[in-house]
Amino acid sequence: RWGSDESNTSIARMREVLAELDVNDIEHQSVSLRHESEWCLGAYPGGLLVWENVETDDQPRHMSDVSRKRVLELWLMLAEGRLDEIEAEAWLPGYEDPA
């Protein structure tokens, strides 16, 4: 969340990182897991989850009201390279619903 990167993260560490969302920090609002393919799942307080490839022009997608348990499940899928399964989720276009 505060700009550090880690490799080969354990499930316990993923839970710790998700718990960082409990700290109110306006500047650093998300935590994420990035696959070697550059696909990334970014989680935000309040349940916003963003799916994007940080190296391509592909449009980002999102889901709202995602539980941390579900974020962890999707992060584990990403860590295992199960990109097609993540892609098949019910994503909405953009970073979030228009206000």
Side-chain angles (χ1 to χ4, degrees):
R1 183 172 189 184
W2 294 281
S4 65
D5 291 330
E6 299 176 26
S7 297
N8 301 316
T9 304
S10 69
I11 294 171
R13 181 64 181 133
M14 287 182 193
R15 285 189 180 105
E16 290 173 6
V17 169
L18 281 171
E20 291 176 6
L21 293 174
D22 292 335
V23 177
N24 187 13
D25 186 331
I26 294 172
E27 185 177 344
H28 305 100
Q29 296 185 15
S30 67
V31 294
S32 61
L33 182 76
R34 187 177 68 210
H35 185 261
E36 62 192 23
S37 65
E38 299 304 326
W39 280 99
C40 179
L41 282 168
Y44 292 78
L48 176 66
L49 183 65
V50 174
W51 173 237
E52 66 182 323
N53 189 303
V54 296
E55 292 295 320
T56 68
D57 291 332
D58 291 348
Q59 292 298 312
R61 283 150 293 161
H62 76 280
M63 284 190 270
S64 299
D65 300 318
V66 180
S67 70
R68 293 205 185 153
K69 178 181 177 187
R70 184 66 180 138
V71 171
L72 183 60
E73 290 168 356
L74 290 165
W75 275 8
L76 291 171
M77 291 167 71
L78 182 58
E80 294 169 358
R82 296 163 47 196
L83 305 177
D84 291 339
E85 291 176 58
I86 298 168
E87 189 68 33
E89 294 287 326
W91 298 104
L92 298 170
Y95 286 105
E96 60 185 315
D97 294 323

